[in-house]
Amino acid sequence: MNVFVTGASGLIGGTVAMRLLAAGHTVTGLTRDRTKAAALAGLGIEPVVGTLDDAGVLAGQAGRADAVVNAADSDHRPAVETLVAALAGTGKALIHTSGSSIVATGTTGERSDEVFTEDVLDSGWVPDHPLRTARLDIDRLVLSAAGRDVRSAVLCTSLVYGRGRGLGRDSVLIAALVGQARAGGVVRHVGAGANLWSNVHVDDLADLYLLALEKSPPGTFYFVEGGEESFGAMAGAIARSLGLPGPRSWDPDAPDNVWNHEFARHALGSNSRVRATRARDLLGWRPRHRSITAWLAAADLA
């Protein structure tokens, strides 16, 4: 297949693009940064310079491709509307990237026992934050495209770790923890750090994108996870890797705000526990990496 990948210079999009190339597909990659176009070409990806606001570019590339992977922005509704319209009536695949923060619970670093399965989308459930609601609405828009003869699927990823195989190398949440540790000289977590996030290694994630492109039924929603861990344990592994003291508790309401207040509470201080049942049962996905703390402790984070 010739696959059009948005976000081709990012962590997920770049790694997916490289996995597709390794499987024998050709890849056209969207990047908004002209300086990265030559680097993408050097990796074997045909670069297209543009943004998610360039509807003509998106529609044109989707029309020429055999399948589309949207890995640039989970929250850009106009781009999704453009891609769905361009693919309607073609039977082509559209794999959209979402994030498991849609089911995040809590904000203070305490553990939640609530675990979400893919059936949550069929229950009429509504998230507790307007940004999460807007993201879920986009997910449902993608899934409904199956009724317009688009082989659509949503991969709702949990916390992604590992080194990217393309130009994008680092996870957003891990980079936030590491950046704070380097700046402050001590590793921090929100509150008790007992809050749990499901997680997935980026190589396992890329394998799932390939499987979804090849055989996902239309209109299917997938959570993506290969395990789960607390932020306290992750912070401890980062401390060992960097040789820094910690981890130590931090209150988002404290005056020494080391992270953005909302980001600290609703990302680093929340729980997001999901189960990837459909990926395993429908697609035969078998993640090979099981321990984010082992990876963090051994990784070169310095």
Side-chain angles (χ1 to χ4, degrees):
M1 292 186 290
N2 174 30
V3 185
F4 176 49
V5 178
T6 70
S9 56
L11 171 66
I12 295 176
T15 304
V16 170
M18 298 307 293
R19 182 68 183 88
L20 294 174
L21 290 174
H25 301 296
T26 60
V27 177
T28 302
L30 183 74
T31 178
R32 61 187 177 187
D33 189 342
R34 289 187 176 276
T35 63
K36 293 182 179 178
L40 288 177
L43 294 174
I45 301 166
E46 181 182 345
V48 174
V49 178
T51 73
L52 294 179
D53 295 314
D54 295 328
V57 173
L58 295 183
Q61 293 299 325
R64 282 188 284 273
D66 299 311
V68 176
V69 170
N70 182 30
D73 187 342
S74 300
D75 304 308
H76 198 295
R77 187 181 181 98
V80 171
E81 292 173 342
T82 297
L83 292 171
V84 168
L87 295 173
T90 67
K92 295 178 182 179
L94 169 62
I95 312 299
H96 174 70
T97 306
S98 184
S100 70
S101 63
I102 60 172
V103 294
T105 56
T107 60
T108 61
E110 296 298 330
R111 175 191 171 110
S112 170
D113 291 327
E114 192 167 15
V115 178
F116 292 85
T117 64
E118 285 115 345
D119 294 338
V120 69
L121 264 73
D122 304 323
S123 65
W125 168 83
V126 178
D128 62 358
H129 192 283
L131 293 179
R132 293 171 184 153
T133 301
R135 176 176 290 185
L136 183 62
D137 287 344
I138 293 172
D139 294 347
R140 286 179 165 143
L141 172 63
V142 173
L143 299 175
S144 71
R148 301 175 65 183
D149 194 22
V150 179
R151 192 163 61 85
S152 60
V154 173
L155 298 191
C156 190
T157 67
S158 52
L159 192 162
V160 181
Y161 68 99
R163 291 294 184 202
R165 301 290 181 176
L167 300 185
R169 302 288 288 169
D170 297 316
S171 159
V172 172
L173 293 186
I174 293 174
L177 293 172
V178 172
Q180 174 278 315
R182 288 172 175 163
V186 61
V187 182
R188 301 278 190 181
H189 52 67
V190 174
N195 53 309
L196 292 159
W197 267 65
S198 297
N199 53 71
V200 62
H201 193 283
V202 69
D203 288 341
D204 290 328
L205 177 59
D207 288 343
L208 182 55
Y209 274 83
L210 179 61
L211 288 169
L213 281 170
E214 292 175 344
K215 58 182 183 179
S216 176
T220 309
F221 177 90
Y222 302 89
F223 279 128
V224 187
E225 55 79 26
E228 67 177 10
E229 191 53 88
S230 71
F231 267 82
M234 286 187 275
I238 291 171
R240 292 191 295 275
S241 177
L242 295 177
L244 290 175
R248 296 178 186 168
S249 177
W250 177 79
D251 180 358
D253 294 323
D256 57 332
N257 191 11
V258 296
W259 293 295
N260 172 275
H261 179 87
E262 289 295 306
F263 177 73
R265 283 193 174 279
H266 295 286
L268 302 179
S270 66
N271 297 263
S272 181
R273 306 181 66 189
V274 301
R275 295 294 179 264
T277 305
R278 288 179 184 163
R280 291 174 169 86
D281 292 350
L282 292 182
L283 303 181
W285 180 61
R286 298 292 181 266
R288 293 163 288 150
H289 302 82
R290 303 298 298 178
S291 177
I292 187 174
T293 51
W295 183 85
L296 286 168
D300 181 11
L301 302 178

